[in-house]
Amino acid sequence: NQAEVLDAFAALRFNFHGDDSFYLKARRIANNNGEFEIGQNYSSTNTDNIAIKIDNSLNVGIGTTIPGTELHVQGSNGYAELRLSGNSGSGGTIEFYESTTKVADIFADTSNNIVFRNTTEALRIDSDGRLLINTTTNRNKYFNGTYTGQLQVEGTNDATRLTQFVHNQNTASQPILILGKSRGTTVGS
């Protein structure tokens, strides 16, 4: 009777002369709910160190035994990191889909630019840290080419050239835009 099976599992272990081993483990837990693990077993303590876990909802956990989303990465020491490496001459891309239709992507190109696109490029953080909206290159023509801006918004019509600052509060207060100057020698001084 399957409803009475509370915990059954099958494991495949790879062990080399008594050293630490790697394992694959499939487990069924009541009512045909199951999970799958890939990990390492330390011979000195005989404890399993789970590297990847797939739960009954098909959520995948890397570094966690309780994945909370489709892909859940938990860092073991500090920040969780995800690395995307393209072949020589290529960057990395994260693509976003609605069912089978691509709706947007974020990619890092080989010139160290981070580019955000929906159907066309919408925003770019260039290799010098400048934020460029509706343009792919920073203008350096101001003040005879002496200065370049850290934020550049460009547009060719009413829809793309408008920049808005909106203050949503039921008071008489107005939105505030501050343009300032400091004689400090470091950021924030």
Side-chain angles (χ1 to χ4, degrees), residues 140-185:
N140 59 3
K141 300 176 184 175
Y142 304 109
F143 299 102
N144 296 322
T146 306
Y147 302 104
T148 59
Q150 290 301 108
L151 169 64
Q152 181 176 325
V153 180
E154 290 210 11
T156 57
N157 58 43
D158 288 342
T160 61
R161 68 180 176 173
L162 178 65
T163 303
Q164 295 178 327
F165 299 91
V166 178
H167 180 199
N168 288 320
Q169 191 174 18
N170 191 15
T171 67
S173 300
Q174 302 299 316
I176 299 171
L177 172 63
I178 298 174
L179 304 174
K181 179 182 183 305
S182 166
R183 292 190 183 270
T185 58

Side-chain angles (χ1 to χ4, degrees), residues 85-155:
S85 299
N87 282 334
S88 179
S90 300
T93 302
I94 299 173
E95 295 181 342
F96 301 90
Y97 283 79
E98 190 280 312
S99 187
T100 59
T101 303
K102 182 177 171 182
V103 294
D105 65 29
I106 301 171
F107 75 93
D109 66 19
T110 56
S111 298
N112 299 322
N113 299 306
I114 301 172
V115 179
F116 298 77
R117 299 184 296 195
N118 37 34
T119 54
T120 59
E121 182 171 324
L123 182 142
R124 168 183 298 240
I125 301 172
D126 75 6
S127 59
D128 291 318
R130 295 178 293 232
L131 179 61
L132 309 175
I133 301 172
N134 293 330
T135 184
T136 60
T137 57
N138 188 53
R139 293 180 184 262
N140 59 3
K141 300 176 184 175
Y142 304 109
F143 299 102
N144 296 322
T146 306
Y147 302 104
T148 59
Q150 290 301 108
L151 169 64
Q152 181 176 325
V153 180
E154 290 210 11

